[in-house]
């Protein structure tokens, strides 16, 4: 071999593997956690377009390998596989593991994406139809089941389910027309005074033991903005579409009230305080929520706190996880109240960190899920965690890795609560919300600064 050829060979040997080679190698050795960590952060666009399919295929292989024995890790692998390439296999595995881990909104999003990108694959329409039927959305189920190709292997099952969906949709339409007729009769004999309605929501708290729902009367009326409302001392419930009939929505409204009451009770039990002023709760349809907050949020979240109101996505499944999201949003509303309406003055990591930490506690843990926890430990060891000073002024969802940003913020809050309890922590929150510099407040109440708290976070994670 000539000297030039030898040098070229040595350089090729020394060159780091490409993303595709790395992914294939880790998949071949079944190093699934290492594979996930290698591709969990960063933008898929950082990988050359020609290699993204290979990376996706390796992640999809891990999803399939773990979906029965470790569906949480399998879901994480499937999610990243779909980011690198939204292949039919990756989306199917993502949807399956999302359902297995009780992430119904994520499952629906994956199935809808599959229906859009792979219309000839009948599995997407059939599984989405099943999901929508379980969520009592017969009209939506009819729409997607009609898209299952007639020659697909799923066609026969889809046709059977379509008959059920059409019958259910017909029943719902008849019930709705009857409700409208009764409402019109009631309006025709009304005295002009707002009616007193006693909502008795179901007991909430799947997997956590029951929580008492507030035994408070809800009064129907009209708010200062002209919106029709039902309100008590805790919540003022209104529909984004002011023409929507409360009477037709009583069952859904009752479930929302039960979930919010649970958030109120859990927050009080953990923090020792709750919001004193009632908080507006605006109910949206999926289409309305998507128009105002974007399709990605509409598919993924149960609700959010924005402009002094908790805004609830009508189509979100009120599972344990999505109720945990409502706990998270109620904490934001409480912080706003604690700070005299100036919760937005808090550093983002402090505001989001408390909401995320309370959500973890609601779910029975003091840590994020295992995949994120493992990633945090690796990042802490390599001194690559974001600093709190970097998480102050920008929404965490805009960070390079939002899951890491939220978790880092929550660990910082957890460490402060461990040092002085919730009473001391909320004293600091009130002072900072009113304008006191964060380092000054941390020094007085905890003998820390953001820099030393950064080190506390790294130590805790290692």
């Amino acid at each position: 071999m000539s000297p030039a050829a030898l040098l070229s060979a040595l350089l090729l040997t020394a060159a780091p593997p490409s993303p595709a080679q790395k992914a294939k190698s880790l998949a071949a050795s079944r190093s699934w956690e290492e594979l996930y960590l290698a591709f969990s952060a960063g933008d898929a666009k950082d990988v050359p377009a020609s290699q993204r399919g290979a990376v996706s295929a390796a992640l999809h292989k891990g999803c399939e390998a773990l979906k029965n024995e470790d569906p949480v890790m399998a879901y994480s692998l499937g999610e990243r596989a779909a980011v690198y390439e939204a292949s039919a296999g990756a989306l199917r595995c993502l949807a399956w593991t999302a359902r297995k881990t009780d992430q119904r909104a994520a499952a629906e999003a994956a199935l809808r994406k599959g229906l859009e990108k792979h219309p000839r694959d009948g599995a997407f329409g059939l599984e989405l139809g099943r999901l929508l039927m379980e969520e009592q959305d017969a009209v939506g189920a009819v729409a997607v089941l009609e898209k299952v190709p007639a020659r697909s292997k799923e066609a026969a099952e889809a046709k059977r389910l379509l008959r059920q969906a059409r019958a259910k949709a017909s029943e719902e339409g008849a019930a709705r027309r009857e409700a409208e007729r009764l409402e019109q009769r009631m309006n025709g004999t009304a005295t002009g005074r707002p009616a007193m309605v006693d909502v008795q929501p179901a007991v909430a708290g799947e997997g956590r033991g029951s929580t008492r729902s507030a035994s408070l009367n809800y009064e129907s009326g009209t708010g200062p903005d002209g919106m029709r409302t039902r309100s008590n001392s805790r919540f003022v419930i209104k529909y984004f579409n002011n023409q929507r009939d409360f009477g037709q929505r009583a069952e859904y409204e009752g479930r929302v009230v039960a979930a919010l009451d649970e958030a109120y009770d859990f927050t009080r039990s953990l923090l020792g305080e709750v919001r004193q002023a009632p908080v507006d709760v605006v109910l949206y349809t999926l289409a309305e929520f998507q128009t105002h907050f974007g399709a990605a949020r509409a598919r993924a979240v149960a609700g959010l706190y924005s402009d002094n109101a908790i805004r609830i996505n009508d189509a979100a499944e009120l599972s344990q996880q999505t109720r945990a999201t409502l706990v998270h949003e109620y904490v934001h509303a409480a912080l706003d109240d604690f700070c005299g309406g100036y919760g937005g003055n808090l550093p983002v990591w402090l505001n989001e960190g408390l909401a995320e930490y309370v959500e973890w506690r609601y779910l029975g843990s003091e840590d994020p899920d295992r995949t994120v926890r493992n990633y945090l430990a690796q990042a802490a060891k390599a001194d690559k965690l974001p600093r709190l000073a970097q998480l102050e002024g920008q929404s965490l969802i805009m960070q390079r890795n939002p899951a890491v940003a939220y978790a880092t913020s929550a660990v910082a809050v957890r460490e402060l609560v461990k040092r002085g309890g919730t009473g001391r922590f909320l004293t600091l929150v009130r002072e900072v919300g009113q304008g006191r510099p964060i380092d000054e407040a941390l020094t007085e109440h905890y003998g820390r600064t953001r820099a030393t708290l950064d080190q506390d976070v790294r130590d805790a994670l290692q």
Side-chain angles (χ1 to χ4, degrees):
M1 181 180 293
S2 69
L6 178 60
L7 178 60
S8 176
L10 288 172
L11 288 173
L12 286 173
T13 303
S18 68
Q21 291 170 332
K22 184 175 183 179
K24 289 178 180 178
S25 175
L26 290 170
S29 63
R30 301 180 66 84
S31 302
W32 306 125
E33 287 202 12
E34 290 82 355
L35 175 64
Y36 172 74
L37 291 173
F39 296 97
S40 63
D43 194 324
K45 293 179 181 177
D46 295 339
V47 173
S50 60
Q51 298 185 40
R52 291 174 201 159
V55 172
S56 177
L59 290 161
H60 173 215
K61 183 178 179 181
C63 181
E64 293 289 348
L66 296 178
K67 68 180 186 180
N68 290 313
E69 63 183 79
D70 189 351
V72 173
M73 175 57 79
Y75 169 81
S76 299
L77 289 161
E79 184 179 39
R80 296 306 294 173
V83 167
Y84 282 92
E85 183 179 72
S87 67
L91 290 170
R92 281 196 300 267
C93 194
L94 174 58
W96 193 94
T97 53
R99 294 205 65 180
K100 188 76 171 179
T101 54
D102 198 25
Q103 299 181 74
R104 298 172 73 90
E108 181 178 341
L111 292 169
R112 288 193 183 280
K113 190 169 185 178
L115 191 62
E116 174 190 349
K117 289 186 169 294
H118 308 285
R120 295 184 180 180
D121 190 325
F124 293 108
L126 176 61
E127 292 306 317
L128 183 55
R130 283 175 175 156
L131 179 64
L132 294 174
M133 284 292 284
E134 291 173 11
E135 295 176 352
Q136 306 302 310
D137 182 1
V139 174
V142 169
V144 297
L145 288 166
E146 287 177 340
K147 295 181 180 180
V148 175
R151 295 185 178 181
S152 67
K153 63 180 181 181
E154 295 84 7
E157 179 61 18
K159 188 175 181 180
R160 184 191 65 79
L161 191 59
L162 181 59
R163 287 195 295 268
Q164 294 179 14
R166 284 173 173 163
K168 181 69 173 174
S170 178
E171 291 174 9
E172 290 173 356
R176 186 161 51 251
R177 290 190 294 273
E178 178 64 11
E180 290 171 354
R181 185 184 68 81
L182 292 173
E183 181 71 11
Q184 289 169 357
R185 285 185 59 189
M186 291 173 66
N187 289 340
T189 58
T191 63
R193 294 176 295 179
M196 294 292 290
V197 181
D198 185 12
V199 176
Q200 296 294 336
V203 173
E206 292 177 9
R208 294 186 44 79
S210 64
T211 298
R212 176 188 54 78
S213 188
S215 57
L216 301 170
N217 285 344
Y218 277 79
E219 179 179 345
S220 296
T222 303
D225 55 2
M227 298 287 284
R228 296 163 59 226
T229 64
R230 278 189 178 157
S231 61
N232 67 5
S233 61
R234 297 179 180 178
F235 305 107
V236 179
I237 299 175
K238 58 183 75 174
Y239 287 98
F240 179 78
N241 178 355
N242 199 34
Q243 301 304 310
R244 190 159 296 118
D245 184 350
F246 275 99
Q248 295 174 37
R249 309 271 298 165
E251 181 182 354
Y252 170 70
E253 185 189 331
R255 289 190 287 115
V256 169
V257 168
L260 289 167
D261 282 340
E262 184 176 22
Y264 178 99
D265 287 340
F266 185 80
T267 301
R268 180 174 57 186
S269 69
L270 185 63
L271 300 183
E273 296 187 47
V274 285
R275 182 182 170 105
Q276 296 302 303
V279 59
D280 284 356
V281 179
V282 185
L283 307 183
Y284 293 73
T285 65
L286 176 61
E288 291 164 352
F289 199 90
Q290 180 172 312
T291 296
H292 290 271
F293 301 106
R297 280 189 174 180
R299 290 192 300 266
V301 303
L304 53 83
Y305 180 72
S306 173
D307 294 330
N308 304 312
I310 296 174
R311 302 173 188 276
I312 296 182
N313 181 1
D314 177 275
E317 174 71 15
L318 290 175
S319 63
Q320 184 186 22
Q321 179 57 57
T322 51
R323 284 201 306 275
T325 300
L326 297 184
V327 170
H328 182 116
E329 303 310 328
Y330 181 76
V331 171
H332 286 313
L335 281 171
D336 212 20
D337 190 62
F338 295 163
C339 296
Y342 295 101
N345 289 346
L346 295 172
V348 175
W349 68 264
L350 192 64
N351 198 322
E352 291 290 355
L354 180 62
E356 186 79 355
Y357 175 62
V358 174
E359 180 179 338
W360 291 352
R361 293 292 300 273
Y362 172 84
L363 292 170
S365 177
E366 289 207 352
D367 299 289
D369 67 60
R370 191 187 71 180
T371 301
V372 175
R373 188 166 67 246
N374 289 345
Y375 184 86
L376 289 175
Q378 296 272 358
K381 187 175 181 180
D383 196 20
K384 291 184 178 180
L385 284 175
R387 301 298 193 257
L388 296 178
Q390 299 171 308
L391 306 176
E392 295 215 329
Q394 184 184 46
S395 170
L396 300 189
I397 202 70
M398 301 302 293
Q399 296 287 330
R400 182 176 179 83
N401 192 323
V404 170
Y406 276 97
T408 301
S409 301
V411 171
V413 168
R414 183 190 71 191
E415 294 307 300
L416 292 176
V417 171
K418 284 183 175 181
R419 285 174 176 267
T422 57
R424 182 184 301 181
F425 180 81
L426 293 179
T427 297
L428 175 141
V429 162
R430 286 185 168 93
E431 292 178 2
V432 175
Q434 293 297 325
R436 189 176 190 186
I438 181 63
D439 275 341
E440 183 181 305
L442 283 170
T443 299
E444 177 176 334
H445 295 291
Y446 295 96
R448 320 302 292 159
T449 63
R450 284 169 298 173
T452 54
L453 186 54
D454 281 331
Q455 186 59 52
D456 293 338
V457 171
R458 290 194 292 274
D459 292 343
L461 289 171
Q462 293 184 73

